């Protein structure tokens, strides 16, 4: 709109005939109409261009969200990719090169029983992923005959398609990183999601209430995780050191089971 007013001002300054009208009202009306018309046109153009910009921005954002992910043999045989796909965390298209399928078939046909089992498991995992509605699968025939190494083929394909590589192969991860290819490593994801505590670790917790079962006590970590303490009912209202016996992870969250440390009721600083 500001641009429209600026243009109107330039036009009227360059139009001395406006001042020739005998009636000042006529001159004023002409000024007003010119300013209003050009301001309106400028506003409409600005809104239209703004909508186009928003459309382009949304398309670019969607393209980034839906970026292709090229799958390697190791992540297929591993099997966890099927579970991750079922959760809906994987967006975009999973691209499976024909040379990866060929490598997987060679493993499934191996004379070694262990390799053969792993290869057939990989084929079953692929079928499971294909039957899911939450992810799209593309089998590509694109190959690089001059490149013999499968990992190098994957990197070349990812570069050509501006795609990410989905793997749990440490060496492939390193090679891809060195060549500027983005990698999604399932092992790194699993490491990030591992329990903060493991069986055998000691925790200092405030036992806040009795548990549902006989003689149980219940405490909570800072993040809200429930700690169920076997034989901990007598510790209610006290801070005690407990030993983690197991960690239960469910879709609703995490629960820690623990026992009293050496029968002690309180931590050392309270003794």
């Amino acid at each position: 709109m500001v641009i429209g007013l600026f243009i109107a001002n330039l036009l009227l300054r360059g139009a001395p005939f406006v001042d020739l009208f005998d009636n000042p009202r006529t001159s004023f009306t002409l000024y007003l109409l010119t300013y209003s018309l050009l301001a309106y046109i400028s506003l409409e153009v600005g809104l239209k261009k703004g909508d186009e910009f928003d459309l382009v921005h949304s398309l670019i954002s969607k393209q980034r969200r839906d970026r292709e992910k090229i799958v390697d043999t190791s992540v297929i045989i591993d099997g966890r990719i099927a579970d991750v796909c079922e959760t809906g965390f994987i967006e975009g298209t999973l691209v499976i090169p024909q040379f990866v399928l060929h490598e997987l078939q060679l493993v499934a046909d191996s004379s070694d029983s262990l390799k053969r089992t792993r290869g057939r498991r990989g084929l079953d995992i692929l079928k499971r992923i294909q039957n899911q509605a939450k992810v799209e699968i593309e089998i590509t025939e694109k190959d690089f005959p001059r490149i013999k190494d499968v990992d190098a083929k994957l990197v070349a394909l990812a570069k050509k398609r501006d795609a990410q590589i989905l793997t749990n192969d440490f060496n492939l991860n390193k090679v891809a990183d060195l060549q500027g290819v983005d990698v999604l490593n399932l092992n790194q994801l699993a490491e990030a999601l591992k329990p903060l505590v493991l069986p055998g670790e000691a925790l200092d917790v405030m036992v806040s209430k009795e548990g549902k079962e006989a003689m149980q006590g219940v405490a909570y970590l800072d993040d809200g995780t429930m700690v169920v303490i076997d034989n901990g009912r007598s510790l209610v209202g006290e801070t005690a050191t407990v030993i983690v016996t197991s960690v239960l992870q469910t879709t609703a969250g995490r629960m820690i089971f623990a026992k009293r440390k050496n029968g002690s009721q309180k931590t050392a600083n309270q003794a």
Side-chain angles (χ1 to χ4, degrees):
M1 186 169 68
V2 174
I3 295 176
L5 294 174
F6 178 74
I7 295 174
N9 185 56
L10 290 178
L11 288 175
L12 292 175
R13 281 189 177 184
F17 62 86
V18 175
D19 296 328
L20 297 179
F21 289 103
D22 294 333
N23 191 339
R25 288 187 176 182
T26 304
S27 299
F28 174 78
T29 302
L30 184 57
Y31 271 103
L32 182 61
L33 288 175
T34 303
Y35 275 109
S36 299
L37 179 61
L38 289 177
Y40 174 78
I41 293 174
S42 176
L43 181 61
E44 285 294 313
V45 171
L47 290 175
K48 184 177 181 181
K49 292 298 181 182
D51 291 339
E52 291 176 357
F53 176 81
D54 289 341
L55 177 61
V56 172
H57 182 267
S58 63
L59 288 175
I60 292 175
S61 299
K62 184 177 187 301
Q63 186 178 21
R64 288 177 177 173
R65 289 196 306 270
D66 295 345
R67 193 175 179 189
E68 294 175 335
K69 295 159 185 65
I70 300 174
V71 182
D72 83 329
T73 309
S74 68
V75 84
I76 296 173
I77 293 176
D78 176 89
R80 290 175 293 179
I81 182 61
D83 296 324
V84 176
C85 288
E86 286 179 352
T87 65
F89 276 98
I90 296 292
E91 292 182 329
T93 302
L94 291 185
V95 179
I96 304 174
Q98 190 65 47
F99 56 80
V100 167
L101 289 178
H102 177 67
E103 184 180 48
L104 188 60
Q105 189 63 55
L106 289 178
V107 176
D109 293 337
S110 173
S111 58
D112 185 293
S113 60
L114 181 59
K115 288 184 177 180
R116 186 167 60 249
T117 300
R118 294 174 66 238
R120 291 176 180 176
R121 166 184 164 82
L123 293 174
D124 290 339
I125 292 296
L126 270 184
K127 185 176 181 180
R128 178 181 163 191
I129 296 175
Q130 285 180 314
N131 291 333
Q132 294 179 16
K134 293 184 178 180
V135 66
E136 181 180 347
I137 299 292
E138 177 189 339
I139 307 295
T140 177
E141 299 287 341
K142 180 63 179 178
D143 201 347
F144 302 87
R146 295 184 180 181
I147 303 176
K148 301 302 180 184
D149 182 66
V150 173
D151 286 356
K153 288 176 182 282
L154 286 166
V155 173
L157 182 60
K159 282 185 173 182
K160 185 174 183 63
R161 301 184 65 145
D162 188 29
Q164 298 169 306
I165 293 178
L166 189 57
T167 183
N168 60 8
D169 187 310
F170 178 80
N171 292 327
L172 174 57
N173 199 150
K174 287 293 185 183
V175 171
D177 281 342
L178 288 173
Q179 299 193 44
V181 174
D182 290 338
V183 177
L184 299 177
N185 191 312
L186 279 192
N187 286 336
Q188 292 178 352
L189 177 62
E191 178 70 16
L193 296 177
K194 73 177 183 180
L196 295 178
V197 293
L198 298 173
E201 291 188 16
L203 297 175
D204 289 335
V205 294
M206 174 66 184
V207 185
S208 59
K209 64 179 183 179
E210 298 179 355
K212 292 183 178 180
E213 303 296 331
M215 302 305 294
Q216 282 184 345
V218 174
Y220 293 92
L221 300 183
D222 292 339
D223 63 359
T225 301
M226 179 185 290
V227 181
V228 179
I229 306 163
D230 186 37
N231 199 29
R233 179 168 294 184
S234 62
L235 301 177
V236 173
E238 300 175 355
T239 299
T241 300
V242 298
I243 304 298
V244 177
T245 56
S246 63
V247 180
L248 177 64
Q249 182 71 50
T250 68
T251 55
R254 180 178 56 195
M255 183 181 295
I256 298 173
F257 293 91
K259 63 181 180 180
R260 293 165 58 164
K261 181 179 180 181
N262 298 328
S264 175
Q265 291 192 0
K266 300 181 181 181
T267 56
N269 60 359
Q270 287 187 312

